[in-house]
Amino acid sequence: MLVLGIETSCDETGVALYHSEQGLLAHALYSQIALHAEYGGVVPELASRDHIRKLLPLVDEVLEKASLSKADIDAVAYTKGPGLIGALLVGACTGRAIAMGLGVPAIGVHHMEGHLLAPQLEDSPPPYPFVALLVSGGHTQLIEVQALGEYTLLGESLDDAAGEAFDKAAKMLDLDYPGGPRLAAMAEQGEAGRFKFPRPMCDRPGLDFSFSGLKTFTLNTVTKHALDDGLPDDQTCADIAHAFQEAVADTLVIKCRRALEQCGMKSLVIAGGVSANTRLRQKLEAALAKMGAKVFYARHEFCTDNGAMIAYAGCQRLLAGQSETLAVEVRPRWPMTELAGLSTAKAEPNR
């Protein structure tokens, strides 16, 4: 089965072709960072318009890369939610129209399930069961994964997601959009130990997160050391960035260790944009090695939003007999726990 995958949940247009036997054949991604940088964040209406402009050319591009035609497509998978409603509608309407025109089935995919399954595209995919940390600009969740589609929410952020906290802390340091990667780069120049930031909710039991207090602590530290221009000197900014990143990474590591111990598992999957953070990976690998556990990631280009993860996730659900009706439905808010299990789905080659 050849599946066309379409991702348009936010500000990146992703398209891919995944074959159930041959693996990933081609993928392409268009980022809108330059478009939204002027505004310091994603402007939903502009994002929707840019998806309209780029989506069909990207479909043609991946077909050309794979030396295939639209007639070779057996099914279409598109992101149904969660995400920005306008952006989701562009992908859903386009995907459903392509499927209807070709007379093939279509399926709406949960965006975070796509992230969760992205490491399955690697040469050494994580074995089931495992614990997954989904960490991005919009989500910070710990999920117990018994099998494909069998998910139990263990804990989540009660306020800001970790990625959102990174972006807001970056704004406090006057860093350009997207702030998270720029704060991580600044943190590399910071002095360890100068500032000690709290590790929120780590002094109490449970697996929930909270980053709003850490964000406030960061703002207070910036204000305390600000010069006449409203910002601390360059080295102090770097030291604050370092302390902030260490606090977020430590918090995530502590909760991941607790989740693995609670579930009695030795495999952790980390997915989503923040999973590309080098310092977080270093700390996770060191901590899990002491437990005799292992951490799995998607390749760097599949940590952020992409069409490959949607094509793969959609393929698994299509093979299990699921598909969408003719009606186009998107869900800007959509808990993963509402997804149906797929215990009967076949495990496909991962390439």
Side-chain angles (χ1 to χ4, degrees):
M1 175 185 285
L2 178 65
V3 180
L4 172 69
I6 295 173
E7 155 60 22
T8 61
S9 65
C10 189
D11 63 334
E12 288 168 313
T13 314
V15 178
L17 290 168
Y18 180 85
H19 194 279
S20 59
E21 296 179 359
Q22 300 172 32
L24 183 64
L25 302 183
H27 65 95
L29 182 72
Y30 172 75
S31 174
Q32 300 178 4
I33 285 177
L35 174 66
H36 300 288
E38 178 182 352
Y39 306 96
V42 177
V43 181
E45 178 61 26
L46 294 181
S48 302
R49 293 180 182 182
D50 225 30
H51 286 311
I52 294 171
R53 184 173 67 90
K54 295 299 295 185
L55 185 50
L56 289 178
L58 284 178
V59 172
D60 292 336
E61 179 180 331
V62 296
L63 286 168
E64 183 177 353
K65 283 182 179 179
S67 299
L68 296 170
S69 69
K70 289 186 177 71
D72 296 309
I73 297 172
D74 296 312
V76 179
Y78 55 86
T79 303
K80 182 176 179 177
L84 301 175
I85 187 168
L88 290 170
L89 281 169
V90 174
C93 291
T94 304
R96 200 68 194 80
I98 292 173
M100 185 181 298
L102 296 174
V104 300
I107 189 164
V109 173
H110 193 291
H111 178 75
M112 297 311 294
E113 182 176 48
H115 276 303
L116 186 151
L117 296 177
Q120 300 292 338
L121 292 163
E122 302 306 310
D123 293 333
S124 299
Y128 295 101
F130 55 80
V131 169
L133 172 66
L134 304 181
V135 57
S136 65
H139 298 82
T140 302
Q141 298 177 324
L142 279 165
I143 307 285
E144 180 182 358
V145 181
Q146 287 294 335
L148 184 67
E150 296 182 18
Y151 311 131
T152 301
L153 179 65
L154 300 173
E156 61 184 340
S157 179
L158 303 179
D159 38 61
D160 291 350
E164 182 182 3
F166 261 100
D167 288 340
K168 289 181 177 177
K171 283 189 176 182
M172 297 173 196
L173 296 171
D174 199 31
L175 298 176
D176 292 335
Y177 173 84
R182 287 179 167 80
L183 185 145
M186 176 181 279
E188 294 180 3
Q189 310 303 318
E191 177 185 339
R194 180 180 175 188
F195 297 109
K196 178 66 175 179
F197 281 29
R199 276 57 175 164
M201 295 187 71
C202 290
D203 58 350
R204 66 187 75 174
L207 296 172
D208 286 329
F209 303 89
S210 173
F211 294 105
S212 62
L214 182 60
K215 183 180 63 179
T216 301
F217 192 95
T218 303
L219 178 60
N220 290 339
T221 305
V222 170
T223 302
K224 180 179 179 180
H225 293 84
L227 302 177
D228 291 340
D229 63 356
L231 284 173
D233 61 75
D234 290 347
Q235 184 57 51
T236 299
C237 284
D239 295 343
I240 292 172
H242 183 277
F244 173 86
Q245 180 173 253
E246 291 292 297
V248 173
D250 283 346
T251 300
L252 294 172
V253 169
I254 290 168
K255 298 288 186 170
C256 285
R257 290 187 61 182
R258 284 185 189 174
L260 288 169
E261 292 169 353
Q262 177 177 311
C263 297
M265 295 183 185
K266 294 295 184 180
S267 296
L268 175 76
V269 164
I270 174 173
V274 181
S275 70
N277 183 277
T278 301
R279 186 57 177 156
L280 175 59
R281 291 191 176 200
Q282 291 172 345
K283 284 180 170 286
L284 273 174
E285 289 170 3
L288 267 61
K290 294 179 181 178
M291 300 173 61
K294 187 176 181 180
V295 59
F296 296 84
Y297 316 98
R299 70 193 77 168
H300 193 276
E301 62 187 323
F302 293 159
C303 289
T304 55
D305 297 348
N306 63 88
M309 67 183 192
I310 302 303
Y312 176 83
C315 183
Q316 307 315 302
R317 291 193 170 271
L318 286 159
L319 287 171
Q322 295 187 5
S323 63
E324 296 285 337
T325 64
L326 288 176
V328 175
E329 178 189 7
V330 296
R331 296 189 61 181
R333 297 181 181 275
W334 187 9
M336 273 189 64
T337 50
E338 294 183 6
L339 291 173
L342 293 181
S343 58
T344 59
K346 300 177 182 178
E348 293 302 321
N350 305 303
R351 297 181 176 88

